[in-house]
Amino acid sequence: MKKNVIAPVLLFLLAVFPNIIKAQDGKYTLSEDSLVNYYASLKRVYYATRIISPPKIDGKLIDDCWEKQGLWSGGFRQQQPLQAHLPTQDTEIKILYDDNNLYVGIRCFDSEPEKIRPILGRRDDYTSGDIAGIAIDSYNDKRTAFEFNVTAAGQRIDMIHLGAYKWDYNWDAVWDGKAFLEDSAWTAEMRIPFSQLRYADKEEQVWGLHVWRWLDRLDEEDQWKLVPIDAPAMVYIFGELRGIKNIKSKRNIEFLPYGKAGYRNNARDKSKYGFGLDGKIGVTSDFTLDYTINPDFGQVEADPSVLNLTSYEIFYSEKRPFFLEGNSILNYSSGGDLLFYSRRVGHAPSDYPSINKGKGESLSIPDNTTILSALKLTGKSKKGLSLGIINSMTSKEEATIYSGNTKTNSTVEPFTNYFIGRVKQDINKGNTVIGGMVTSTIRSIKTDNLNFLPEKAVVGGFDLQHNWKNRKYFINMKSFFSDVKGSTEAIGRLQRSSRHYYQRPDAAHLKYDPSRTSLSGWGGEFSGGKRSGKFRAIGKLSWRSPGVDLNDLGYLRQADFVKQKISLRYQVNKPDGIIRNYFLTMRQAHSWSYGGETTGNEFDLHAYIKFKNLWKINFNLARDFNVFDTRQLRGGPALRMDDKGSFEFNVQTNSARNLFLGALYKTDWYSDKISKSNNFSVFVRWQISNRLTMTSMTYYDETIFNSQFVYRPRWNTTTPMYYIVGKIDQKVLYTTLRMEYFITPELSLQYYGSPYASTGRYLDLKQVDNPHAKSLDDRFLPLAITGRETSNTNNYLLLDKNNDQITDFRLLDPDFIFQEFRSNFVARWEYKPGSILYLVWTHTRTRHKRGQYDAIDNSFNGIFNLKAQNIFMLKFSYWFSL
């Protein structure tokens, strides 16, 4: 699809959009069950009571304020499994407040108290037994809310509701919560500082209110104000919290200084020390300025091991606290692409100097770019304006090359400034949201060896979302553009990168221009449909022009495509016989390049069933056909991929049992009758005691793929480009083991270990002759091995269709072994809310060997024979506020 097709679609949307903007009807009518509609429409209001003497937060609701002040409120209803029915156990809440804090008491009655599951787990772990909590829409925007929960064992869970069943679990507020087991109930007690909320500065507050309870053994959720399980969103159906008067807006100032010491066993500089400061300033009651000086972005848990044989960049999740908190406001995603990918800030140096180990040279290079400082302003006003701004500066980094008694410095990363700005405005009672985003990357490049990096990159976007009919229907539009400037070397490299491949010989709409000093493009998506009720339908159209690029500060997997998707779902949430709930989903997709080349079709069916014994099964059947991979030949022509079928089956036992098991089997088969894959995974969670948990996941995959890219020999600019692929026999085996022991909710010992092995053997190599041909004989020509030069280098002869010699070349044996073990041991003590002492031991072993092959079990067992790297770190932080 080209612009002349996309433009009429957008014009049509602009024409019909004004006709569908209507205020939301406050009456819920989306369920076929009249009882559900009644309780979902019922307006519930709780009036908080002001107190003078605050309670002691110990989980015991025996203070005078709990006994004598305020009112207990019950009347909970089931959300699942029996919507709108009375719960199997009663629950009551009471809400109090003073000048600085909100106090919440929840009493969870239980006629079988011995079956309460007080499981100690990590903070924000929703699998930790029985839970009770409260969500507060303090903006009263009907879209976002702050949620605070306590497990029956006293562990805290907090998050932010983002609307339409999206949550930010990375948000960690500074608050206090405890639990206590009574004779016939368990109780949760919370103290939530007003400084951790965002609200308007006015005499009386009116906030959205949601209170819920989870009975783990019954897989039952009870709610004070019913939010139907098939509702398209949650916050707009909340009840109300009133009665909070004359609380001053909190312009809180928070400080989190830290100090750390580390030791690395095989580094030139073995010991490292550091200190820094993170903090917050409440600019207003709505907006908070986060700042960091010499930040510590050390990861407590390592990234997973991955051997990447594709042309695409691997995406890793963010783990650094400064970027995690408040990142929900800064999120601008389209499919799997992001305008802001925070791991670009502080990434590993871009250049890696070459050294001559034969002459005794060695290299010392920083692991990550130093972040000199970062400022982040986030918040939302009482008029529905959301704002997120980040500015961060990273330093120039140098590597040191040692040769005998001399050393030479080489700049490997320039000084860089990053800017991110995001704005969103709620209108029409939160049913419509309009927003925009802009990012900027500016590098100070002063050495020739860094001319391959762009000097400037600007990305901007505009998005709009509208909901109507009680948010049953929605449309969502996003668009963005990019403009990257730099030297001819930088822009030429960008054109040839795997995201663009302007050099593709069979793409008439692409033209590689080595004289360019800028590259620009645009992309976007339009989606909409019905997302509640038994039958749901959602359609989506997304596109990326050939020149769009987000990767200086965002994440773009691939440019130059248009893709259309349709998803149809039939979902039933009402128990019937042995089935508790189920759904069936059918998806269809068609994709093509921006020049109109068909690149693939997809079709799949997915079925999910949950039984009354709380076992679950999933089936998935998929078919990919007419696939032309524009990335497989690394800048060569699109290569036809043989049609593929897939089948997947997954089964899980009752997750509320002390021993929880899950197993998955997936198989792929291809029309060439050569390529195939089978993979198996097994998950085990063993609740050894309420304090000790062990989880493990083991994965094994064996794949034969007939078209794996290997090499593209080219001897000079006047000779044609040839592409070599091979039939790879690859096997992957890895396991993860996690053990967690909690002495108290705040003091824990945690271990994570993951050995990973992958081996690959190429059974034959062949030249791509006619990449679009359906027949394998026409698509590929065999290569002849004329001899072996060394133990891991072969001489190959390139032939034409008449078996006449074209040329010969040498090729390193592409077989490989990849072994890696990553582990962390963490002792964590939150000795006061927000203040943490860490002791971390990181252990790593890794080897990537080319030109060698071994059985997967030998490779896996040999991981612990590799040389180890150990890092020990002690970190101390102390939170306080003014």
Side-chain angles (χ1 to χ4, degrees):
M1 180 180 288
K2 299 182 180 180
K3 292 182 182 179
N4 60 344
V5 180
I6 296 174
V9 174
L10 297 179
L11 289 174
F12 169 76
L13 294 171
L14 292 174
V16 303
F17 182 70
N19 298 320
I20 58 176
I21 297 183
K22 298 178 181 179
Q24 176 182 304
D25 184 358
K27 192 171 184 180
Y28 191 86
T29 59
L30 302 182
S31 176
E32 296 179 0
D33 189 327
S34 60
L35 194 64
V36 173
N37 287 332
Y38 171 78
Y39 282 102
S41 302
L42 187 66
K43 184 176 181 179
R44 297 207 70 184
V45 180
Y46 187 92
Y47 287 87
T49 301
R50 180 182 280 274
I51 60 174
I52 298 176
S53 299
K56 177 184 177 182
I57 305 302
D58 55 9
K60 303 175 184 179
L61 303 179
I62 57 175
D63 306 86
D64 284 346
C65 58
W66 296 123
E67 297 283 353
K68 301 176 182 179
Q69 294 180 268
L71 296 175
W72 289 99
S73 176
F76 280 63
R77 289 280 162 170
Q78 285 191 49
Q79 190 218 35
Q80 55 177 303
L82 299 172
Q83 282 200 90
H85 288 227
L86 289 171
T88 57
Q89 307 292 338
D90 290 334
T91 308
E92 293 182 344
I93 64 165
K94 182 181 283 191
I95 301 175
L96 312 170
Y97 74 100
D98 58 21
D99 288 340
N100 299 306
N101 302 290
L102 192 72
Y103 302 96
V104 180
I106 306 177
R107 178 166 276 115
C108 304
F109 295 98
D110 203 311
S111 59
E112 299 178 290
E114 70 281 359
K115 294 184 179 179
I116 296 172
R117 287 176 55 80
I119 306 300
L120 276 167
R122 285 177 293 162
R123 181 166 179 171
D124 298 338
D125 184 0
Y126 275 86
T127 64
S128 299
D130 288 50
I131 306 171
I134 180 173
I136 300 169
D137 176 13
S138 57
Y139 289 124
N140 203 24
D141 62 3
K142 312 297 183 184
R143 292 185 63 249
T144 58
F146 302 95
E147 183 167 313
F148 305 86
N149 310 298
V150 176
T151 72
Q155 187 56 276
R156 289 167 294 159
I157 301 171
D158 49 16
M159 68 176 187
I160 297 178
H161 290 244
L162 304 178
Y165 294 101
K166 295 179 181 179
W167 298 276
D168 179 6
Y169 296 102
N170 297 311
W171 176 72
D172 284 334
V174 180
W175 60 287
D176 202 5
K178 303 289 184 182
F180 181 74
L181 296 177
E182 298 181 341
D183 291 339
S184 58
W186 72 273
T187 56
E189 187 177 25
M190 308 178 204
R191 177 177 56 228
I192 303 170
F194 289 129
S195 62
Q196 303 302 301
L197 304 175
R198 303 291 178 264
Y199 51 88
D201 189 3
K202 55 185 180 181
E203 182 180 352
E204 181 177 358
Q205 302 295 327
V206 179
W207 296 343
L209 176 65
H210 175 65
V211 186
W212 71 291
R213 175 191 180 181
W214 178 257
L215 285 90
D216 194 45
R217 68 183 185 273
L218 302 176
D219 210 48
E220 176 183 324
E221 181 169 337
D222 303 327
Q223 299 176 343
W224 177 76
K225 165 65 169 63
L226 179 65
V227 177
I229 195 170
D230 58 353
M234 288 186 64
V235 183
Y236 82 105
I237 312 178
F238 279 11
E240 282 187 357
L241 176 61
R242 292 177 175 267
I244 300 176
K245 300 179 181 180
N246 300 317
I247 58 170
K248 296 180 180 179
S249 59
K250 301 297 178 182
R251 300 189 181 184
N252 205 39
I253 301 177
E254 301 179 10
F255 300 92
L256 187 66
Y258 79 87
K260 68 173 182 178
Y263 174 83
R264 186 186 298 239
N265 71 317
N266 59 353
R268 184 176 289 269
D269 298 323
K270 296 184 181 298
S271 300
K272 286 189 176 182
Y273 304 90
F275 63 91
L277 174 68
D278 295 341
K280 300 175 184 290
I281 299 175
V283 181
T284 68
S285 62
D286 301 320
F287 293 95
T288 300
L289 178 68
D290 293 74
Y291 60 89
T292 182
I293 301 171
N294 191 27
D296 171 37
F297 287 156
Q299 296 175 6
V300 173
E301 187 165 296
D303 293 318
S305 300
V306 178
L307 176 64
N308 186 15
L309 296 182
T310 74
S311 63
Y312 301 103
E313 178 188 7
I314 297 174
F315 181 89
Y316 290 110
S317 300
E318 182 60 85
K319 300 174 190 251
R320 301 171 296 181
F322 177 82
F323 288 113
L324 285 172
E325 187 169 347
N327 196 37
S328 57
I329 294 177
L330 293 157
N331 178 59
Y332 192 114
S333 61
S334 177
D337 299 332
L338 299 169
L339 267 63
F340 173 45
Y341 177 37
S342 56
R343 288 192 65 149
R344 300 290 184 207
V345 183
H347 60 77
S350 301
D351 194 28
Y352 196 92
S354 60
I355 59 173
N356 190 334
K357 292 184 178 180
K359 294 184 178 180
E361 292 183 347
S362 62
L363 178 69
S364 176
I365 187 170
D367 294 329
N368 296 288
T369 307
T370 301
I371 299 176
L372 298 175
S373 65
L375 294 173
K376 177 171 63 176
L377 178 69
T378 56
K380 186 172 185 177
S381 74
K382 59 184 177 182
K383 294 184 178 181
L385 176 67
S386 298
L387 183 65
I389 297 175
I390 290 181
N391 195 84
S392 179
M393 293 181 290
T394 59
S395 69
K396 180 180 77 171
E397 295 290 351
E398 292 186 339
T400 303
I401 301 172
Y402 296 90
S403 180
N405 295 325
T406 65
K407 62 180 182 179
T408 306
N409 292 333
S410 175
T411 303
V412 291
E413 185 70 27
F415 173 86
T416 307
N417 189 84
Y418 299 98
F419 174 83
I420 306 99
R422 177 75 159 123
V423 62
K424 292 189 289 186
Q425 178 64 57
D426 296 357
I427 58 177
N428 188 31
K429 297 183 179 180
N431 289 307
T432 305
V433 183
I434 300 174
M437 187 168 190
V438 63
T439 72
S440 168
T441 305
I442 301 175
R443 298 183 176 93
S444 177
I445 299 175
K446 297 181 179 180
T447 55
D448 292 341
N449 67 304
L450 296 180
N451 278 336
F452 67 89
L453 295 172
E455 294 178 4
K456 298 178 181 178
V458 176
V459 175
F462 170 80
D463 60 325
L464 182 150
Q465 183 184 96
H466 176 67
N467 306 273
W468 70 99
K469 293 288 186 183
N470 280 299
R471 309 201 182 195
K472 182 177 185 179
Y473 300 97
F474 79 100
I475 58 170
N476 186 19
M477 291 183 285
K478 293 184 178 180
S479 64
F480 49 87
F481 74 92
S482 67
D483 183 55
V484 183
K485 290 181 169 59
S487 66
T488 55
E489 179 185 352
I491 302 305
R493 183 173 180 262
L494 188 60
Q495 293 178 79
R496 299 189 305 271
S497 71
S498 62
R499 299 184 297 279
H500 303 283
Y501 286 145
Y502 268 78
Q503 68 271 35
R504 278 183 53 214
D506 61 341
H509 63 293
L510 299 176
K511 183 180 179 181
Y512 173 66
D513 183 356
S515 66
R516 295 183 70 162
T517 57
S518 67
L519 188 68
S520 60
W522 79 304
E525 70 174 49
F526 167 71
S527 60
K530 177 177 179 285
R531 57 185 175 192
S532 70
K534 283 188 176 181
F535 178 75
R536 309 177 186 194
I538 296 176
K540 182 177 181 180
L541 177 69
S542 55
W543 64 92
R544 309 285 186 269
S545 75
V548 67
D549 195 278
L550 311 177
N551 281 22
D552 286 278
L553 194 45
Y555 178 86
L556 176 73
R557 177 178 166 87
Q558 176 186 333
D560 187 25
F561 75 84
V562 181
K563 189 167 188 177
Q564 160 268 318
K565 288 183 178 180
I566 294 175
S567 176
L568 306 175
R569 173 179 286 199
Y570 182 76
Q571 181 166 327
V572 176
N573 294 311
K574 188 174 183 179
D576 185 11
I578 64 170
I579 296 177
R580 178 161 170 164
N581 53 58
Y582 66 91
F583 66 78
L584 178 67
T585 301
M586 180 180 71
R587 302 185 186 95
Q588 172 273 330
H590 174 67
S591 58
W592 55 103
S593 75
Y594 221 68
E597 314 159 276
T598 294
T599 55
N601 291 281
E602 305 169 35
F603 182 83
D604 73 87
L605 290 169
H606 179 214
Y608 165 88
I609 303 173
K610 187 174 186 178
F611 297 94
K612 282 193 172 180
N613 64 358
L614 305 185
W615 283 48
K616 305 172 188 175
I617 59 172
N618 284 273
F619 298 92
N620 199 72
L621 186 64
R623 182 74 173 170
D624 297 344
F625 54 97
N626 292 333
V627 176
F628 292 84
D629 194 329
T630 60
R631 269 46 191 167
Q632 182 67 9
L633 296 183
R634 310 307 197 261
L639 179 64
R640 175 186 282 274
M641 311 303 286
D642 296 286
D643 295 350
K644 181 179 77 170
S646 300
F647 172 75
E648 182 178 311
F649 173 75
N650 173 261
V651 59
Q652 298 177 24
T653 64
N654 183 350
S655 61
R657 302 294 186 187
N658 288 335
L659 184 62
F660 169 52
L661 303 174
L664 181 144
Y665 169 69
K666 184 176 183 292
T667 182
D668 299 330
W669 62 93
Y670 292 76
S671 59
D672 64 1
K673 305 295 178 65
I674 300 173
S675 302
K676 59 182 179 180
S677 73
N678 291 282
N679 65 65
F680 312 83
S681 61
V682 176
F683 176 83
V684 179
R685 187 185 73 221
W686 182 19
Q687 194 69 53
I688 301 173
S689 72
N690 288 344
R691 298 178 182 272
L692 178 61
T693 306
M694 182 186 76
T695 58
S696 174
M697 198 277 286
T698 301
Y699 174 90
Y700 175 71
D701 176 89
E702 51 184 23
T703 295
I704 294 178
F705 183 52
N706 194 43
S707 303
Q708 179 62 46
F709 175 79
V710 178
Y711 188 54
R712 50 179 186 187
R714 185 173 185 174
W715 295 270
N716 56 62
T717 56
T718 61
T719 60
M721 182 78 80
Y722 300 100
Y723 303 93
I724 309 302
V725 300
K727 180 172 73 171
I728 186 175
D729 180 2
Q730 183 183 8
K731 295 179 175 61
V732 177
L733 174 63
Y734 72 86
T735 187
T736 61
L737 174 66
R738 188 188 301 273
M739 296 191 70
E740 299 171 324
Y741 179 70
F742 287 83
I743 302 167
T744 70
E746 296 77 26
L747 179 59
S748 64
L749 305 175
Q750 303 173 27
Y751 174 80
Y752 167 85
S754 180
Y756 177 101
S758 178
T759 63
R761 177 175 56 180
Y762 287 82
L763 304 178
D764 68 89
L765 301 183
K766 43 198 174 278
Q767 172 197 349
V768 178
D769 181 52
N770 183 357
H772 297 180
K774 194 167 186 177
S775 167
L776 293 179
D777 292 336
D778 295 333
R779 199 184 313 163
F780 302 121
L781 293 175
L783 287 179
I785 300 179
T786 61
R788 181 179 290 272
E789 185 164 296
T790 65
S791 61
N792 61 353
T793 302
N794 288 333
N795 287 331
Y796 285 90
L797 186 64
L798 206 61
L799 305 175
D800 62 18
K801 289 184 178 180
N802 299 318
N803 289 324
D804 293 331
Q805 177 176 344
I806 299 176
T807 187
D808 60 358
F809 62 93
R810 288 177 297 173
L811 176 62
L812 180 70
D813 188 347
D815 293 355
F816 63 84
I817 298 172
F818 178 69
Q819 301 162 286
E820 189 164 64
F821 176 71
R822 293 184 175 185
S823 70
N824 296 87
F825 175 81
V826 180
R828 180 185 186 275
W829 179 29
E830 187 171 358
Y831 55 93
K832 65 184 293 287
S835 302
I836 304 175
L837 176 66
Y838 280 111
L839 174 63
V840 182
W841 169 36
T842 299
H843 179 88
T844 306
R845 300 169 186 260
T846 185
R847 182 178 76 150
H848 191 186
K849 181 75 172 179
R850 289 191 173 275
Q852 186 174 332
Y853 175 80
D854 199 359
I856 187 66
D857 55 341
N858 291 336
S859 297
F860 190 83
N861 293 332
I863 291 175
F864 293 95
N865 296 325
L866 305 178
K867 185 178 180 180
Q869 178 187 77
N870 293 288
I871 301 174
F872 299 90
M873 185 180 73
L874 178 67
K875 179 184 175 183
F876 173 86
S877 64
Y878 182 82
W879 179 92
F880 65 98
S881 66
L882 300 178

